Each structure stands twice: as structure tokens, then as C-alpha cells.
Amino acid sequence: MIDDRPILVFAYGNPSRGDDALGPTMYELLEEQQRQAGLLSDVALLTDFQLQIEHATDLQHRQRVVFIDASLTASPPYELDPVQPEQDISYTTHAMSPAAVLSVYQQIHRQPPPTTYMLSIRGYTFELGKPLCARARSHLQAAFEFLMKGQLLKFE
Amino acid sequence: MTDQLETAQHPEGLQRVVIEPLTRVEGHGKVTLLLDDDNHIKQARLHIVEFRGFEKFIQGRPYWELPVLVQRLCGICPVSHHLAAAKATDMLVGATQLTPAAEKIRRLMHYGQTLQSHALHFFHLCSPDLLFGFDDEIRHRNIVGVIEDHPEIAKQGVLLRKYGQEVIRVTAGKRVHGTGAIPGGVNKSISTDERQYLRKDIDQIIDWSQAAVELIKRIFTEQFDYHMAFATIDSNMMSMIGDDGAFDIYHGGLRAKAADGQMIFDHVDYTSYEQYLREGVKSWSYMKFPFIRSLGTWDGWYRVGPLARVNNCDFFTTPLAEQERKVFREIGQGRPVQASLAYHWARLIELLYCAEAIKDLLFDDDLLSDDLLVKGDMQACGIGVLEAPRGTLFHHYEIDADGLVEKANLIVSTTNNNQAMNESIRQVANHYLDGKQLTEPLLNQIEVAIRAYDPCLSCATHALGKMPLEVQLLNSEGDLLDRLLKRADGVIGIPEDRENNG
């Protein structure tokens, strides 16, 4: 039952909370590429509402990890940034930041985490029951094309 | 009594301190304190900044979608909403008695959810306060600090969480947005491979759960008098109970006991909850204030969640949890334990119960049965109630002839605890903050009291990084005297505009 493919895409957010659905919608788009086109065979796909401590265990045996989330501050359409383990507070909710998850990984496995990137897709509204707004949909498409055409999800 | 701190007589002449956001609490909430010029607390309130809207989200949707749809209300306990909605839809489709397989698979899912939720709360959110003290340096007082100083404890917390999530994945079909529970039953049984996969680690999970109970007992008793007194309030307590008085978080009647342990009501059919409970409103909060109808708004508020459940039940059906319940109840000396910090202790006894109950189910062959679904005559009203990790959760739906939801009423656990959380922060404000210069460790004590209840204030997820904590100091005229900003990384600094303006 262990999926140890070398690349992990972890897209997160609430599908029913406006542009917070950017992460899970990207998950669905990538899953469709796997299911229907047979692409992304080296990529394990995971989704959740938000990051939690146990997600550190999903990073094990990976060579590369890409977290995908909606962002209220990223430059549109998206930003790609490397993530380093950081002992930040992540204190505002029960959830954790990607940097904090890497830090947990490092502490419990006693080894450096895999190379990790954060793909932040610009969103605007996060109301319960609202769909993705038009601008967010456009940014999602741009980010999807970037992932499919680029090298990030290709295993060397 | 702290009731006099709910509303100050002359708020216009008082300083106002705002704690926003509340740290290590889910959602948008804030605490406001009104102080006079000598720092005496005159008013303390917990506000929910953004909360309702669930019912509107649900209205007009077909009933069969409800168990899946409502998971999106809350990124913290989606399985609780999933199962409460499934129980309500059981009633809608006339399924009065599920098959043994369906009920046991749902129970397994629920125990997995409760195990992982309690593990997160203790190891991630509260152990920093309890292990390091409420006034520990803020950059250390977090899960990373726990990992550094207590690596084995932290690792166990992570792996307990992981195990609970795996139970959910196996029973619900996937890790999130599962579809396992459906009106009248479940849509899949457990395979022998899946059962073996979960059996493999369960003894380790029970061992770690026992160790967690030992840890909280040690922490609690090391400063026994302090922990018994901090944020302690006398309250009624309500929870679900089995027909025989056993601890039960999936199904049963409602039991409420007074602060002295006297029974208020017992074995109440939860579909008649409106005859026993009412939801009050206050002008200053979006969240309602439920109370026991027979006692009225003033005396009828109550607490739910682990503290209420462990106090209220007559026994646990699993041996290790029952042994720990007896130890726990001894500190109450014949009365219900009222210490708010005892929530943590009770929560970990429940963690141990869930681990034991999961093991029992993993050796029950009913899990493998394909007899999963029952149906009856359609009903217009469906009410589902269970004990979510944070307390009693009510889902109430009424549907039209086409099966579309006309009316929905949800009372979530945190709403049940609304008045109690307010009472607890007033107790802390009165005893520990009154007359003192406010500092971050002192304000953290307010948050420690709230975190004991493990409130989930938003039942929704949001993007990170947008909620700095700003504390404002106003003079008696309401003029802004000073501001401090706590950024998302925990660093306390001067707001940029104040810096720029000199």
C-alpha cells in the first residue's frame, strides 16, 4: 500500500471554499492526465484540506516534492519557490506550513528532506460555497501548463 | 463566579486589548479584554469573527449528497460531519437499524478520526504549553520545540496521527473526501488485506496511547493544585451515552449532569433534542449559546467533549481505558472533574479507548461482510447526532418531496462549548491577569484556556499567512495609544506604518 514514486505532488485546500480550491482542482487535473493519458507515471499525487504533522511521513523515499496551494499574496498567475526546512510557528491554525512539515520530516527521520518546491497559485476569494473566480481559473490553467511542459514533474 | 465580566457597565472608559488570531486554534476567533486604567479586567469575551453560513451552503442540495458535501465544512474533522450527516440520512431513508457490518465499519472510521484528532491536539497543539510552561519563549513553545526536546514523544504523535488517517483511508475509501458512509449504510466492506494492514501496527498504537496517558497524568499531577485551579469553572456537562451507561461516541442517548453530578436528563432520544436544548444569541457574537431548556439561559449552559464524556459515562467497555477512567474520576472526589485542563487528560483516555476499540473491531469478522445497506420508508426529517472529537455534533435536515434540503440546522461541538469557553477565559482574566501589565505569556494563558477545549472556530480551510496578531492599546477615550504586531512567524514587532511614521 506504500506509493514510493520518486516525485510527490501534494495539492491542498478546501474544494468548496472559493479559490482555496486551486490546490485540489490542480490535483484533479493532474490525476486526469495520469488516468486518461497515462502521463506522469513517476508522480505520486496526494491532496488534503491542509498540511498536518503526519504529512511528513508522505515525503519519505521521494526525490522531489511539489506542494501546491492557493495564495493571496503570490504574484499572478503563480510563483514557484524552493522550500527549506524552517522551524516556523505555523501558529494561526491547526495546519502547518510546507517549511514546518519539512522540519518535522528532518527531525523524525534524522535526514535532510527531499528537494521541495512550493507552487503558489494566486487566488482572490475564499468564501464557503463559492466556485473558483475567473482570474483564479486562468491562473490555474497557466500553472497546469507550466507543470505539464516543464521539467518539474519529470524524473531524471 | 465570573459572569459579571461578560459585559462591562461603562465600556466607553476602558482600555481594549484584542488577542487575534488565537494561536493553535482553528479558524477566525478573537478575545477582547476591557481594562480600566489600573489594568483591572472589566470585560472578557471570546468572539467568533466568521462562522455561520453552513445552512445556506446545504439548502437546496439533494439529501444523498449530504455525507460527502458536509465534509467540506471543516478541514479538521470532516469525518465527524460525514458520519453525522450519514446518520441523519439513515433516518431520511427509513433505515432504523444498520447491518452489523455497516455500523462497525462506521465505528471503525469514527474511532480512527477521533484517534488522529486527539493525537494532533495533544502532541501538536497543547504539549508545547504543558511540557514547557505557559511562559516559555514563544519561538520554542511549539511542535518543533517538542520535537527538539522530546523527539520520541513527538514522533509518536506523528505516527499516531498517521495511523488514524490510515484507518480513515481504509474505511472511507480515500484519505480525504471519502464516500464510505451512505444513506442506510456504507458502500464498501474491509478486505482481509486491509484488515491485516491495520492489525500490523495496532499493538504499538495502544502502547503509545498508554504512554500518552501516563505522560499527561505525570504533567497534571506534578503541579496538581495549579492544574486543578487554572480556568476551572463549575458547569453542567452533556454527552452521548450507551444504553447501558457505557462510553459511546457513535450512538446512544443524551445525558446531562449538573456540576455536582446530579442527573438533569438521561437516555434522551437525540431526535427530540429541541425539547431539551435551545440556542441563545448574544448581540456581540456570531456564534450561538446553547443551553438546557429546563434550566434557562443563565444556569443551563453546559460543556461537551472529552471532559464531559469521561465524567458522564458509567464505564468504558475496554479494559485499559476503564482503568484510567477510575483513576481520573478519583481526582473529582465524588463530583465531576471540573478542571478545564483536565480536558487534556480525558482526551488521552479517549485516545486510548479508540486504540483499544479499533483493535477489537479489527478482530471482528463482521467487517468483512458484504451485507452493507438497508432501506425503509422515506421520511421528511432526518437528525443525526454523534460525539465528534470536540463534543456533541447535531445535524438536522428537512427535505421536500424531491429529496432536496429545505431546512438544515447544525450545532457543532464548539458552539456547544461557547459559553463555557467564555467562562473559562473570564476565570483566567480574573485570577491571573487582573491588575497586571499585560505581556505575551500572560495573554497566552487566555489562549491556553481556550485551547483546552480544542475549539474549531471556522469549520473551513483558508490560505495561510494572512492572519497576523495585532494587539491594540487604547486609552479611556478610545484613542489608539500603542500597537504591537505578532507576525505569522511568531516574531513580535512594530507595525510598518507606525515605524514609518516614527
Side-chain angles (χ1 to χ4, degrees):
Chain A
M1 294 189 185
I2 294 172
D3 181 343
D4 59 356
R5 283 178 278 188
I7 299 171
L8 170 67
V9 170
F10 198 122
Y12 55 99
N14 185 333
S16 289
R17 198 158 170 88
D19 295 347
D20 203 26
L22 280 165
T25 310
M26 178 65 87
Y27 169 89
E28 287 171 7
L29 291 173
L30 296 174
E31 192 186 37
E32 192 178 355
Q33 292 297 307
Q34 282 187 332
R35 200 176 52 246
Q36 294 189 353
L39 301 175
L40 306 173
S41 57
D42 292 320
V43 178
L45 294 171
L46 289 175
T47 185
D48 211 325
F49 284 95
Q50 52 198 29
L51 295 179
Q52 304 278 10
I53 49 173
E54 73 276 11
H55 292 140
T57 63
D58 293 319
L59 276 48
Q60 208 169 5
H61 310 304
R62 313 292 183 190
Q63 297 207 356
R64 191 182 307 140
V65 175
V66 182
F67 289 111
I68 302 175
D69 187 19
S71 168
L72 279 162
T73 55
S75 300
Y78 58 83
E79 283 181 12
L80 181 71
D81 299 296
V83 184
Q84 299 298 328
E86 191 181 342
Q87 299 178 2
D88 70 355
I89 303 299
S90 298
Y91 74 96
T92 57
T93 74
H94 288 61
M96 303 189 82
S97 70
V101 172
L102 295 192
S103 184
V104 170
Y105 175 93
Q106 193 164 261
Q107 295 291 340
I108 63 175
H109 293 298
R110 299 288 170 193
Q111 61 185 27
T115 304
T116 301
Y117 297 91
M118 179 77 224
L119 180 64
S120 307
I121 307 173
R122 179 59 188 265
Y124 301 90
T125 59
F126 293 76
E127 293 303 311
L128 185 65
K130 299 291 183 195
L132 285 177
C133 74
R135 281 188 295 174
R137 275 203 304 275
S138 162
H139 300 337
L140 174 72
Q141 186 58 32
F144 175 67
E145 287 171 13
F146 163 74
L147 287 175
M148 293 308 297
K149 291 176 182 168
Q151 299 300 307
L152 203 58
L153 303 188
K154 293 187 172 58
F155 179 56
E156 303 94 24
Chain B
M1 290 292 287
T2 55
D3 304 314
Q4 71 273 18
L5 293 184
E6 179 173 321
T7 302
Q9 286 190 329
H10 300 288
E12 66 284 355
L14 300 171
Q15 302 175 62
R16 183 167 185 260
V17 172
V18 182
I19 306 174
E20 182 184 17
L22 299 165
T23 62
R24 286 175 272 149
V25 160
E26 181 60 27
H28 299 220
K30 67 178 179 182
V31 170
T32 57
L33 306 173
L34 295 189
L35 295 79
D36 67 14
D37 290 339
D38 295 322
N39 288 329
H40 291 300
I41 307 281
K42 295 296 179 187
Q43 179 178 296
R45 290 173 172 175
L46 168 65
H47 305 255
I48 305 308
V49 180
E50 177 246 27
F51 191 63
R52 301 295 282 186
F54 301 165
E55 286 82 357
K56 196 168 185 304
F57 177 59
I58 291 165
Q59 279 165 5
R61 306 298 287 259
Y63 77 86
W64 55 87
E65 283 185 2
L66 290 171
V68 173
L69 182 72
V70 296
Q71 294 178 73
R72 298 178 179 188
L73 298 175
C74 180
I76 298 302
C77 52
V79 174
S80 301
H81 285 297
H82 177 59
L83 290 173
K87 289 183 75 175
T89 59
D90 292 342
M91 193 170 159
L92 289 173
V93 301
T96 51
Q97 178 64 54
L98 298 189
T99 68
E103 177 167 332
K104 287 172 184 175
I105 290 166
R106 284 191 189 181
R107 280 183 179 273
L108 185 57
M109 190 192 303
H110 192 36
Y111 299 151
Q113 148 88 355
T114 305
L115 181 117
Q116 60 89 17
S117 178
H118 283 359
L120 178 75
H121 184 260
F122 181 70
F123 291 97
H124 183 191
L125 303 172
C126 287
S127 66
D129 292 322
L130 297 170
L131 290 169
F132 303 137
F134 307 159
D135 55 355
D136 184 49
E137 203 264 316
I138 188 168
R139 289 198 65 78
H140 181 250
R141 197 198 314 137
N142 57 57
I143 183 62
V144 179
V146 176
I147 290 171
E148 281 177 348
D149 293 9
H150 304 275
E152 276 312 304
I153 290 173
K155 188 172 181 177
Q156 288 169 15
V158 172
L159 296 178
L160 278 164
R161 277 281 300 182
K162 182 72 177 177
Y163 186 81
Q165 297 289 37
E166 285 300 279
V167 173
I168 293 168
R169 184 182 64 76
V170 166
T171 51
K174 43 189 185 171
R175 282 162 49 137
V176 288
H177 317 307
T179 56
I182 56 176
V186 296
N187 64 4
K188 72 179 277 292
S189 55
I190 308 297
S191 71
T192 50
D193 284 350
E194 288 170 332
R195 185 168 73 163
Q196 191 54 36
Y197 169 70
L198 293 177
R199 275 183 184 177
K200 181 167 53 74
D201 295 323
I202 188 60
D203 287 328
Q204 179 67 80
I205 296 299
I206 292 173
D207 287 348
W208 285 340
S209 301
Q210 269 191 288
V213 177
E214 289 304 319
L215 176 62
I216 190 66
K217 272 197 294 193
R218 179 171 62 75
I219 290 171
F220 199 94
T221 51
E222 273 175 1
Q223 289 183 282
F224 184 78
D225 292 341
Y226 180 74
H227 287 136
M228 284 298 279
F230 182 83
T232 295
I233 52 174
D234 269 356
S235 76
N236 307 309
M237 299 207 187
M238 189 185 77
S239 65
M240 182 171 272
I241 208 80
D243 290 343
D244 52 1
F247 176 88
D248 200 324
I249 54 176
Y250 177 73
H251 196 66
L254 296 175
R255 170 179 283 182
K257 284 185 178 178
D260 62 1
Q262 292 297 307
M263 201 69 79
I264 302 170
F265 56 72
D266 199 12
H267 297 298
V268 164
D269 177 357
Y270 63 64
T271 62
S272 61
Y273 77 96
E274 288 174 308
Q275 294 173 32
Y276 293 86
L277 303 174
R278 279 211 169 156
E279 295 178 89
V281 293
K282 299 194 180 185
S283 59
W284 51 268
S285 178
Y286 284 114
M287 191 154 65
K288 290 184 178 176
F289 290 82
F291 60 92
I292 294 168
R293 203 170 165 175
S294 63
L295 300 179
T297 51
W298 189 253
D299 297 320
W301 59 272
Y302 54 87
R303 291 199 267 190
V304 298
L307 186 65
R309 293 190 290 245
V310 177
N311 270 315
N312 274 2
C313 74
D314 298 333
F315 63 96
F316 279 87
T317 53
T318 60
L320 298 175
E322 172 59 8
Q323 193 177 310
E324 295 300 338
R325 184 194 69 86
K326 288 176 178 167
V327 174
F328 177 84
R329 288 301 308 273
E330 279 172 14
I331 67 170
Q333 298 180 322
R335 297 176 80 245
V337 178
Q338 296 284 359
S340 296
L341 290 179
Y343 260 100
H344 300 301
W345 188 344
R347 192 172 284 118
L348 293 181
I349 295 172
E350 292 190 344
L351 176 90
L352 177 57
Y353 166 79
C354 288
E356 290 184 282
I358 287 170
K359 182 174 180 179
D360 288 347
L361 285 171
L362 291 176
F363 285 87
D364 189 326
D365 286 343
D366 281 343
L367 289 185
L368 309 176
S369 166
D370 288 329
D371 185 14
L372 301 176
L373 208 55
V374 291
K375 285 277 166 62
D377 297 327
M378 282 298 297
Q379 309 290 319
C381 172
I383 298 172
V385 179
L386 52 70
E387 288 289 335
R390 292 158 188 80
T392 321
L393 171 65
F394 297 78
H395 278 222
H396 179 171
Y397 305 107
E398 289 175 17
I399 58 173
D400 64 16
D402 297 322
L404 303 179
V405 177
E406 282 186 321
K407 176 191 162 189
N409 186 39
L410 274 61
I411 308 176
V412 301
S413 319
T414 298
T415 302
N416 283 308
N417 276 331
N418 190 6
Q419 183 69 26
M421 289 189 293
N422 272 282
E423 293 294 328
S424 290
I425 64 169
R426 284 172 201 140
Q427 196 266 14
V428 171
N430 223 3
H431 285 76
Y432 302 99
L433 274 64
D434 193 59
K436 294 181 182 167
Q437 189 68 39
L438 293 185
T439 60
E440 192 281 331
L442 278 178
L443 293 177
N444 183 50
Q445 296 200 19
I446 292 273
E447 298 189 55
V448 167
I450 296 169
R451 280 199 288 273
Y453 294 85
D454 189 18
C456 182
L457 300 180
S458 75
C459 278
T461 312
H462 55 83
L464 284 172
K466 287 295 290 180
M467 296 203 304
L469 163 66
E470 182 173 324
V471 178
Q472 299 179 338
L473 179 63
L474 295 85
N475 67 12
S476 307
E477 305 300 315
D479 301 324
L480 183 66
L481 293 181
D482 202 359
R483 291 164 61 201
L484 282 178
L485 191 71
K486 186 161 76 174
R487 299 199 315 249
D489 60 5
V491 173
I492 294 180
I494 300 167
E496 274 180 30
D497 54 343
R498 194 184 87 169
E499 202 168 33
N500 295 340
N501 294 334

